[in-house]
Amino acid sequence: MEPAALLSSRFVMPSRPKAVALLLVELSRPEPDLRRIDQLVSTDPALAMRLLQAANASYFKLAGQVHGISEALAVLRLGQVQAMVASAASVGAFQGGPDFDITQFWTYSLDCAKVARSLAGLLRQNQQAAFTCGLIHAVGELAMRAAMTQAIALDARAKPLELKRSRVERREFGFCFTEVSAWLTRQWHLPPLIHDALLFAHAPFDKAAFEPMAGVVHLAVWRARVRHAGLPENAMTVSFPSLVAEVMGLDIDLVLQQDPIDWSLQEPGRSLI
């Protein structure tokens, strides 16, 4: 399937039921807590994409400049947010194939977002944009699975969260999930920084001028995937994208130190996961 045909197919991203339920409760309060809304949306790639799409729409003066969820919440009315969350509640379960665990996908995406934000802080890059890129970088995998039976069949050669998944997809289809995510961000009018970072995340040096944010996402994807795979130290060393890290002034020890922070520790008794 060509990318244009893939993106023209009807695709509704599934949201985390727990996040949707907690958001509906919070938004129904007389004075909703914006910080908690921000944190809850930040656990859900689908809701994050919807809010960023709405905030970057041409209707708003800040069109094309909203990189993060807190920025989007500053632009949107709470009534709009509530309507989007309510709409997400009606989306049915995602059928991604027998080897695809949507719960694991959500956890992995959030881990990648946290690592990307941490790396961006070390490199003095836009941390909100980095978090967004990490959170939504794999939504293209959902789009591919929804429209292409071939993507599901590919699981026999590379599991959904394997390090080699993007390479196998590019050999098979000519594009991979992060590129599809980038095409979606362009379709939904997200900022060019996010689009370019995702378009070149699989190969940061493919762009004429190196985009540091693409390198941030590339390293965050590696860190999150080796964590979920539970790879031993020697396997991590062999698979580490050392050239990308070297260009960015990082090494494997520094990247491995960027473990996802458990947000639930910030509010005892109010776990967001």
Side-chain angles (χ1 to χ4, degrees), residues 94 100 105 138-146 151 160 165 169 177 181:
F94 183 74
F100 188 77
F105 171 83
V139 297
E141 186 68 48
L142 301 183
M144 292 171 70
R145 288 175 175 276
R165 180 73 188 198
E169 286 181 350
F177 64 91
S181 300

Side-chain angles (χ1 to χ4, degrees), residues 78-135:
L78 282 181
Q80 293 173 283
V81 177
Q82 190 169 26
M84 281 184 267
V85 174
S87 175
S90 64
V91 176
F94 183 74
Q95 303 299 324
D99 291 309
F100 188 77
D101 184 339
I102 189 66
T103 301
Q104 183 185 33
F105 171 83
W106 286 320
T107 303
Y108 156 76
S109 297
L110 180 57
D111 282 353
C112 190
K114 292 176 181 178
V115 173
R117 179 178 58 193
S118 183
L119 289 172
L122 291 176
L123 299 167
R124 302 182 189 279
Q125 297 293 313
N126 186 322
Q127 288 182 274
Q128 286 216 45
F131 185 92
T132 297
C133 288
L135 189 66

